[in-house]
Amino acid sequence: MSQIVSKFQELGLTLPNCPAPLAAYVPATRSGDIIFVSGQLPSVNGDFSAYTGTVPTELTAEKAKEAAQICILNNIAAALTQLKSGETLKLVQMQGFVQSASDFHEQPAVLNGASELAVQILGENGKHARTAVGVSALPKNAAVEISCTFQAIKE
C-alpha cells in the first residue's frame, strides 16, 4: 500500500477517503486475495454534481473522462481498505458505464481516463481487462460509474 500512497504524492494526487455507500451495500469486499469494489461514482467529498447528465448532450466527453478518473481514484480508495500489511493492488478488471445519448458511441474513450490513470498509479499492476458500456441512466444522474476487481499481491 505504501507504494500506492507514494505514487499518489508523486503524481500530485490526493488519495480520497473511501466513499460512503448510497444504499445497503459495502464499498468493497474481499474473498481470498480478490477484492471486489462496488460501483463508484465520480464523487469528490460526497459531491458529484459537477459530473452529472447524459454524455455528450449534458456533459462533454472530455468532462466525462475526468469523471472516470475520479471513479478510479474512488475504486482504489475502497480497495485499499481491504489490504493487509505488506500488500499492494493489482487491477484485474474494470467495468465502466457511461450515461450516454443514443447516438454516442465513444464510451471506450471516456473510460480511457480511468484506465490511463490506473496505469500511472499502479504501473504494470494497473493493466487490466475492461468493459465499456453505454447506458440510459445511472444512480443520482451520474455521468460515469466504474466498478473494479483487484488482486491483493505482495508489495
Side-chain angles (χ1 to χ4, degrees):
M1 176 158 69
S2 61
Q3 293 173 347
I4 295 170
V5 173
S6 295
K7 196 61 171 179
F8 265 80
Q9 293 170 345
E10 179 185 318
L11 294 171
L13 299 171
T14 301
L15 179 63
N17 292 323
C18 178
L22 299 175
Y25 61 91
V26 294
T29 188
R30 181 171 173 159
S31 179
D33 65 347
I34 302 299
I35 299 169
F36 301 92
V37 178
S38 298
Q40 297 295 316
L41 302 176
S43 71
V44 178
N45 299 318
D47 178 21
F48 46 86
S49 60
Y51 301 101
T52 59
T54 303
V55 181
T57 54
E58 297 172 304
L59 192 73
T60 66
E62 193 58 37
K63 195 81 167 156
K65 190 173 180 178
E66 288 176 27
Q69 291 173 327
I70 294 168
C71 289
I72 193 62
L73 296 178
N74 289 336
N75 267 270
I76 291 170
L80 288 174
T81 68
Q82 301 297 308
L83 284 185
K84 298 173 185 170
S85 179
E87 292 180 333
T88 192
L89 296 173
K90 176 177 175 44
L91 179 55
V92 177
Q93 183 183 33
M94 178 187 296
Q95 296 177 344
F97 305 91
V98 179
Q99 185 178 183
S100 303
S102 62
D103 61 346
F104 182 72
H105 306 288
E106 300 304 319
Q107 292 84 7
V110 168
L111 293 172
N112 275 346
S115 292
E116 292 164 355
L117 187 54
V119 173
Q120 286 182 319
I121 294 168
L122 301 173
E124 285 296 310
N125 290 337
K127 294 182 178 178
H128 56 278
R130 186 180 80 186
T131 300
V133 179
V135 297
S136 62
L138 286 171
K140 304 293 186 182
N141 196 32
V144 180
E145 180 175 4
I146 294 176
S147 66
C148 292
T149 303
F150 293 91
Q151 182 180 14
I153 60 173
K154 296 286 183 207
E155 204 164 14

